[in-house]
Amino acid sequence: MSEPANKLESYPWHRALWTSLTRDRTRLVHALLLNGQIGLGKSTFATQLSTMLLCENPNQHSHACGSCKSCLLVSAGTHPDLKRVEPAEEGRVITVDQTRALVEFMTLRPHIAQRKVVILRPAESMNTNAANSLLKILEEPPLGNIFILVSHQPAKLPATIRSRCSRIEFKLPPRHDGIDWLQTQEVSVADAAVLLGLAGGAPLRALELDQTGVIGQREQLLVDLEALRAGTADVVACAARWQKIGAEFSLAWLQRLVADMVKIDMISQPESFLANHDLACRLQALGEELDLKQLYGFADAVSQARDLLASPVDNLLLLEDILIRWFRVTRKIILPTE
Ligand SMILES: [Zn+2]
C-alpha cells in the first residue's frame, strides 16, 4: 500500500480522526483497536501514532517532529521501544511464541523513550493461544505502554480482546474525497470513479487496483465475452489470453460480471447496486436473452471452476471449459445430455 509522500503527513480522510484522538489524550489509553475495512491506511495511521507517542518534541498539532533521535529510529525501523508483530508470512497466524516475546518486551523498561509501543497486525490473525497469552498484559500494560492493534475484521477477534481495547473506527471517506485524492496520485478522474467503486470505496485499495492495471484487464475479459457471444472469437485463444492475465483473477472477475448481470435481470434500477456500474449497458446487452436460471447455472459453474483452481486440474482446461459453457449458453447451443 502506498504511504503518503511525507510519512508525517496523514491521508486526508485521517485528519479528523487524528485531531479528535490527539486532542483528547484520555482516548489514548493502553490498548487501541484500529478497525475498518482494508485499504483505508490503518497501518500507516498506527505508525504515525506510534512515532508521535515516542517523539521527543511533538509539534503543537500533536504530530511527531520528524527529526529527533526517536523519530529517526522509528523511520529507520530500529527504535528499541517500538515492536511490530505480524504473521511470518501473509495469510499465516500470529503465534503464541510471538505474543510471549512481546509480553516480555512490554515488561522491560523503555530504552530511550518514555514508553514502549507495540503495533500488532492484523490482530485477527492471532491464534487462540496467542490471544490468550496477550490478554493479561493487555489489561494492565506496565509503565504507561501502549498496544495498537490493527484489524480489518474485528468480529473475528475474541470478545475478551475486544473488550480490553478502545475501538477507533476507520470509516470510508465520502466518494468525492476519495476521487479527489486518487487524482493527486495521477489517476484520471474517470478511472478514479470506476476504481473506487471496484474497491468498495477504499482509496488505497483503489490505487492498488490501478497499479495492477485492473481496468485494462477487465476490459479484455469483457471484450472476449462479447466476442464469444457474437460468435466472432475462438474459445482456445480467449482461454489462453485469460490464463496470461491470471486464471484466478479472470474467474474472480467473471464471477463479479455475472453477479452484475443477475442484478440487472432482477432489479429495475440496478446501477447503484452494481460492482461494475460503469459497464451497466454492456452487461445488460451481454446478459440479454439469458434468463435467471441460465445465469445462475453459469455462475455456479464459475464458482466450481474457482474451487478447482487449487486442485491439480490444468487451469487452461478449466478456462476453456468455462468459456465453452459461456459460448453455448449465449449461442443457445443445447447438447442432448442437458
Ligand atoms: Zn520527534
Side-chain angles (χ1 to χ4, degrees):
M1 293 267 174
S2 115
E3 299 256 332
N6 172 357
K7 285 192 176 180
L8 299 175
E9 201 177 280
S10 54
Y11 294 117
W13 59 91
H14 284 176
R15 280 177 201 145
L17 195 54
W18 182 274
T19 305
S20 77
L21 193 58
T22 52
R23 185 187 293 147
D24 177 8
R25 290 291 187 116
T26 58
R27 290 184 70 194
L28 286 172
V29 292
H30 56 269
L32 301 171
L33 175 58
L34 311 188
N35 67 270
Q37 82 177 60
I38 211 158
L40 293 176
K42 298 184 296 297
S43 294
T44 300
F45 190 95
T47 298
Q48 289 167 335
L49 192 57
S50 57
T51 312
M52 188 275 281
L53 289 166
L54 296 169
C55 174
E56 294 161 18
N57 307 300
N59 69 20
Q60 57 180 358
H61 302 296
S62 290
H63 282 285
C65 74
S67 55
C68 71
K69 187 177 171 190
S70 263
C71 283
L72 296 176
L73 286 169
V74 172
S75 174
T78 53
H79 199 296
D81 296 320
L82 173 63
K83 191 171 181 69
R84 294 174 187 274
V85 183
E86 295 176 7
E89 283 174 43
E90 202 175 321
R92 303 282 296 275
V93 298
I94 290 176
T95 65
V96 68
D97 287 343
Q98 286 176 283
T99 48
R100 279 190 188 133
L102 85 83
V103 168
E104 198 180 317
F105 167 83
M106 276 304 214
T107 46
L108 298 172
R109 293 186 67 77
H111 290 272
I112 58 169
Q114 302 205 338
R115 59 169 67 85
K116 291 193 166 195
V117 181
V118 162
I119 300 175
L120 186 143
R121 64 176 287 273
E124 61 271 22
S125 65
M126 278 188 287
N127 66 19
T128 309
N129 289 341
N132 285 339
S133 87
L134 191 66
L135 268 181
K136 177 88 183 85
I137 195 160
L138 207 51
E139 197 156 43
E140 296 166 10
L143 309 164
N145 294 345
I146 294 189
F147 282 94
I148 303 174
L149 275 58
V150 178
S151 175
H152 317 306
Q153 294 170 295
K156 286 191 173 176
L157 282 169
T160 44
I161 294 271
R162 286 201 305 268
S163 67
R164 282 164 170 80
C165 298
S166 169
R167 279 180 73 157
I168 313 290
E169 304 270 352
F170 284 67
K171 297 198 168 73
L172 289 176
R175 185 175 152 77
H176 56 86
D177 286 355
I179 291 174
D180 286 351
W181 180 78
L182 283 165
Q183 286 181 266
T184 69
Q185 305 300 304
E186 297 176 3
V187 178
S188 75
V189 65
D191 282 359
V194 173
L195 289 162
L196 204 59
L198 297 176
L204 293 173
R205 176 76 187 126
L207 185 62
E208 197 176 66
L209 289 175
D210 182 56
Q211 286 160 352
T212 57
V214 75
I215 291 185
Q217 290 167 331
R218 185 189 64 156
E219 177 64 19
Q220 180 64 62
L221 302 181
L222 191 61
V223 164
D224 283 343
L225 292 172
E226 287 169 340
L228 285 169
R229 185 182 193 277
T232 58
D234 171 66
V235 164
V236 175
C238 290
R241 265 196 297 277
W242 286 34
Q243 192 181 36
K244 205 170 166 194
I245 291 173
E248 166 58 26
F249 177 94
S250 298
L251 290 179
W253 274 99
L254 181 57
Q255 223 167 15
R256 291 185 191 117
L257 294 170
V258 175
D260 280 350
M261 285 184 232
V262 169
K263 285 178 195 159
I264 289 169
D265 220 24
M266 289 179 74
I267 308 170
S268 59
Q269 289 185 317
E271 279 76 6
S272 56
F273 297 98
L274 302 181
N276 303 275
H277 59 87
D278 58 312
L279 301 178
C281 291
R282 288 171 72 187
L283 289 173
Q284 183 168 19
L286 204 55
E288 218 162 35
E289 295 169 30
L290 296 183
D291 59 31
L292 270 178
K293 192 178 163 206
Q294 289 168 315
L295 282 171
Y296 275 126
F298 184 69
D300 277 348
V302 178
S303 172
Q304 284 165 19
R306 276 191 83 183
D307 291 342
L308 284 172
L309 284 175
S311 73
V313 177
D314 184 337
N315 288 353
L316 186 59
L317 289 178
L318 270 181
L319 291 171
E320 284 175 5
D321 181 62
I322 207 73
L323 292 176
I324 288 169
R325 277 172 186 270
W326 174 253
F327 179 77
R328 279 183 7 219
V329 77
T330 54
R331 306 284 297 171
K332 309 285 181 200
I333 301 169
I334 310 294
L335 296 184
T337 53
E338 291 182 288

